[in-house]
Amino acid sequence: MSRDRAISTVMDVSLALLIVSATVLMIGIFLHSDDGSIDGDRADRAYQTLSGSTVTISYDMTRENESGHAPIESEHFDQPEGLEPDETPELYTVTVYDAATALLVEAALVNVEYDGRQPLAYGDEVERSVDAGTRGQLVGADDSIYAVATWEPYANSTINGSATIGDRPPRSADISSTSATVSTRLSGVDHEAIAEGYYATGVDGAAAEIAALIVDALFPVAQTQYTLESTLTENSITKYDYRKLALAFGGEDLEDDVDDEITGTNPNTENANELLADALAETIAEDMRDDPVRDDLERTRRANRGDLEGFTQDAEPLLEGYVAVETVDITVQATE
């Protein structure tokens, strides 16, 4: 198992799941320079330093989350034969490195919530390790920087994720703040395909395209197929991710169906992804029906009745403003 990246596909879509060195020392310089009061550029400088710095973090797959659950203690986790955590703890501790902002983004994706529930028990541990790894490089500036990453794949989405580093500054603090929208590993949104889906069958068609995009990004076919055919811990984590998300998206029946596709001698990632996407599409369709974008798209379809090309051209800008699967919003606050 690679030590340069996390072991779960939901964490890496390079999710081998995740991913700040000494250059972060500059944050301490920026946040503690003797320039009087905080200037408007301080948060910008802190963000640029985070973006250009690397830090090494470690998180333990055997560690319990805030609810008292650890992935390896779950019935959804198949412990590799002969790889007992007490005897081979290194196989359950993931050590990775990347820019602080990239780590924060990945933590938000792994810390995903679906309909108010957090399926993956290690989301808390990943966020904790990113926070601890970054704080460890801040040279005494632990309370001087607060950053929040939020992922919402489409407006008013039932599925979303967030993560933070640092402590929220008090309201009385002199705060410098900056925000940025950054790309993630969940890339490749095809707005034309989503528009064509809507033109064909309304919100159901558009939702199916969005759901397939999300699931295939979380479980990229080639990489996931490789891990499912592996016998190491990454295999167990991948199966755990599939089972927990299937349970969240569709309940025990879906979990059983997905399990049939990811176990045995011939696991089939494409079939498993299709099952997950079909279930997720139902939720996305419900969300779209409650969002103003549905009325906008319907008016556009009526205005282009019989003209798919015209509808697609007019609908794409609407969908570009609605779908944000490939981006995460980051806000950085710096205080004295």
Side-chain angles (χ1 to χ4, degrees):
M1 182 172 54
S2 172
R3 288 294 177 273
D4 292 334
R5 59 193 184 103
I7 55 180
S8 162
T9 52
V10 173
M11 287 168 62
D12 172 54
V13 178
S14 355
L15 200 7
L17 191 63
L18 256 248
I19 347 191
V20 208
S21 128
T23 52
V24 179
L25 174 64
M26 290 189 291
I27 297 174
I29 297 173
F30 285 148
L31 299 182
H32 288 83
S33 58
D34 296 324
D35 60 351
S37 62
I38 290 183
D39 63 87
D41 294 332
R42 178 162 291 178
D44 289 332
R45 295 199 302 266
Y47 173 77
Q48 292 300 326
T49 302
L50 287 171
S51 301
S53 305
T54 57
V55 158
T56 299
I57 67 166
S58 295
Y59 54 93
D60 186 356
M61 302 303 294
T62 69
R63 183 165 174 164
E64 294 182 350
N65 63 10
E66 294 179 356
S67 300
H69 299 102
I72 67 164
E73 297 173 354
S74 170
E75 62 181 344
H76 308 287
F77 188 94
D78 295 340
Q79 188 168 292
E81 185 176 354
L83 299 179
E84 298 291 334
D86 292 341
E87 299 177 0
T88 57
E90 69 277 3
L91 294 181
Y92 297 87
T93 299
V94 183
T95 300
V96 289
Y97 64 92
D98 205 333
T101 49
L103 286 167
L104 184 60
V105 165
E106 288 295 337
L109 296 175
V110 178
N111 219 16
V112 63
E113 290 190 1
Y114 178 76
D115 198 19
R117 301 185 302 274
Q118 184 177 314
L120 305 179
Y122 55 79
D124 288 344
E125 171 67 359
V126 172
E127 182 178 11
R128 182 207 61 78
S129 63
V130 174
D131 180 50
T134 305
R135 285 175 184 265
Q137 298 290 342
L138 291 183
V139 193
D142 294 12
D143 298 328
S144 296
I145 186 169
Y146 177 69
V148 182
T150 56
W151 176 62
E152 189 176 53
Y154 54 92
N156 302 313
S157 174
T158 301
I159 182 171
N160 49 71
S162 65
T164 66
I165 55 176
D167 295 322
R168 185 189 299 274
R171 293 182 179 180
S172 59
D174 188 2
I175 300 172
S176 173
S177 180
T178 190
S179 297
T181 298
V182 299
S183 298
T184 75
R185 52 182 174 74
L186 307 178
S187 60
V189 175
D190 189 343
H191 296 96
E192 182 178 356
I194 299 172
E196 291 175 352
Y198 187 91
Y199 186 85
T201 57
V203 293
D204 291 329
E209 294 292 339
I210 297 172
L213 172 68
I214 293 174
V215 172
D216 284 345
L218 296 177
F219 296 100
V221 174
Q223 176 186 316
T224 304
Q225 186 67 34
Y226 175 82
T227 61
L228 288 176
E229 294 173 357
S230 168
T231 59
L232 298 179
T233 314
E234 60 186 359
N235 175 283
S236 299
I237 296 297
T238 301
K239 290 177 180 177
Y240 170 86
D241 292 340
Y242 264 121
R243 291 164 178 162
K244 292 289 286 184
L245 289 175
L247 190 62
F249 293 170
E252 293 181 357
D253 288 342
L254 178 60
E255 182 190 358
D256 290 341
D257 291 342
V258 168
D259 198 60
D260 288 340
E261 300 295 343
I262 62 176
T263 56
T265 56
N266 295 301
N268 192 313
T269 300
E270 291 184 351
N271 287 351
N273 285 9
E274 184 175 344
L275 288 169
L276 280 181
D278 287 346
L280 181 58
E282 295 179 14
T283 295
I284 296 175
E286 292 178 6
D287 288 346
M288 289 191 72
R289 290 188 179 96
D290 294 334
D291 193 274
V293 73
R294 185 264 184 101
D295 294 335
D296 293 339
L297 289 169
E298 194 57 29
R299 282 193 295 268
T300 303
R301 185 164 65 170
R302 288 197 299 268
N304 290 277
R305 192 175 302 277
D307 183 3
L308 172 59
E309 182 177 352
F311 170 79
T312 300
Q313 291 179 348
D314 292 343
E316 283 192 59
L318 297 174
L319 291 168
E320 288 172 359
Y322 176 70
V323 181
V325 172
E326 76 279 19
T327 59
V328 168
D329 295 325
I330 296 180
T331 297
V332 176
Q333 294 180 339
T335 61
E336 285 186 308

